Amino acid sequence: MARTPVLAAGGIVLRREALPRFAVVRLRKRNEWVLPKGKLDDGETPREAAEREVLEETGHDVVVHEFLGTLVYDSGGRSKVVHYWRMDAGGEPVRALMSDIREVDWLPLDEALDRLSRGYERAFLENVGPIAMQAAANAERERRAQLRNVAAERRRARLAEEEPVVDAAAIAEAPVTAEVPVVANAPVVANAPEDAETPIVVDTPAPVELPVTADTSDIAVMDTEPDQPAKVPEYSSADSGEAIETAHVVEATASEPPPSSAREIEPVATTVQPIPRKNLIERVRDWLRRAA
């Protein structure tokens, strides 16, 4: 009949230093160097037993982390099952070593492997030791990142306390004055240059038509044949010369359009009624009469 295996628990304990060091303990009875471990008490879980045994055999208070594995070996004709967790130990011991332990030593991984007396414990530590070191390094980086975050939060909180408090209600009630640009009145340009881009339109009064009344008192009525042109009364050479010249002046004056000061005014189409020759002669005679 197989005997019931012995249940035990222990720790792969590292001390928090720049170079990780593993705990190995020396047994008083057999004078062997082994990993810290011990049997479970009644009603105790393996994890609780592991933390208690490490505290008693190393004298250091520890923090228990992840589970690393189980080591099974034969002890006194019975199987012994030992569960191991990764643990971090404080800098200084907090209690004296138990009576079964002569001393404890903290060694780097290579030296700890050489110091262990049992081959199965050396093989187990050789496998889980690097895993424990990597896990410890990751945990240390996380711890430092958390410390930086906490320091940054405290710094932001301190800066927020030092900032002046602004009354939001006073800001809301304060009138907001919009800056409106002042546009000066543009001066009125009386005479625009000919090359100005904006055309200037000048209102010109519509020409007033004056009725022309022919004075027939001084016109001699002559009997002419239908096909013969009417004969104009003879005047002196001086009078006739002045009349002809005046007629040219009047016609030239009437034909010349009035000067315009606007560049782009559309010309207004006007219909010029032909002036009867009789009215023109009468105006010439009136002018000569006034000149005399």
Side-chain angles (χ1 to χ4, degrees), residues 99-150:
S99 59
D100 293 344
I101 301 300
R102 179 177 297 181
E103 62 177 318
V104 59
D105 202 357
W106 299 90
L107 302 172
L109 179 59
D110 294 341
E111 296 182 17
L113 292 173
D114 294 338
R115 183 73 61 89
L116 290 174
S117 302
R118 302 172 181 177
Y120 51 82
E121 287 190 347
R122 284 197 302 270
F124 182 77
L125 181 60
E126 187 176 5
N127 289 326
V128 302
I131 298 173
M133 293 175 61
Q134 184 63 43
N138 295 339
E140 181 65 19
R141 282 194 294 270
E142 292 178 2
R143 186 182 69 84
R144 292 180 181 179
Q146 291 177 357
L147 291 177
R148 288 194 296 269
N149 292 337
V150 171

Side-chain angles (χ1 to χ4, degrees), residues 35-89:
L35 295 174
K37 61 185 179 297
K39 298 178 183 178
L40 273 67
D41 290 342
D42 293 338
E44 193 176 34
T45 64
R47 187 180 185 282
E48 293 172 350
E51 185 175 1
R52 175 184 57 79
E53 286 290 340
V54 168
L55 175 61
E56 292 175 354
E57 292 187 3
T58 64
H60 288 262
D61 194 7
V62 294
V63 178
V64 182
H65 297 288
E66 67 276 1
F67 177 75
L68 291 178
T70 301
L71 177 61
V72 181
Y73 57 93
D74 184 71
S75 176
R78 298 175 64 180
S79 296
K80 191 170 185 177
V81 180
V82 186
H83 302 292
Y84 285 94
W85 278 262
R86 181 178 71 87
M87 301 181 185
D88 285 335

Side-chain angles (χ1 to χ4, degrees), residues 153-267:
E153 290 292 338
R154 291 177 180 175
R155 188 162 52 250
R156 283 193 290 268
R158 185 172 62 254
L159 293 176
E161 292 177 357
E162 294 176 357
E163 290 180 356
V165 179
V166 180
D167 191 358
I171 294 176
E173 294 176 0
V176 179
T177 304
E179 296 184 1
V180 180
V182 179
V183 180
N185 293 330
V188 179
V189 180
N191 298 322
E194 292 183 357
D195 56 350
E197 295 182 357
T198 305
I200 301 175
V201 180
V202 180
D203 294 334
T204 57
V208 180
E209 294 184 359
L210 297 178
V212 180
T213 305
D215 188 4
T216 57
S217 58
D218 296 332
I219 299 176
V221 179
M222 295 174 290
D223 295 333
T224 59
E225 295 181 2
D227 297 331
Q228 297 294 329
K231 293 183 179 180
V232 182
E234 295 181 357
Y235 299 96
S236 62
S237 61
D239 292 345
S240 61
E242 291 178 358
I244 294 172
E245 184 178 355
T246 304
H248 287 295
V249 171
V250 173
E251 290 179 0
T253 305
S255 62
E256 290 180 1
S260 174
S261 59
R263 286 194 303 114
E264 299 185 12
I265 300 177
E266 268 187 357

Side-chain angles (χ1 to χ4, degrees), residues 1-5 77-79:
M1 182 177 179
R3 301 174 63 179
T4 305
R78 298 175 64 180
S79 296

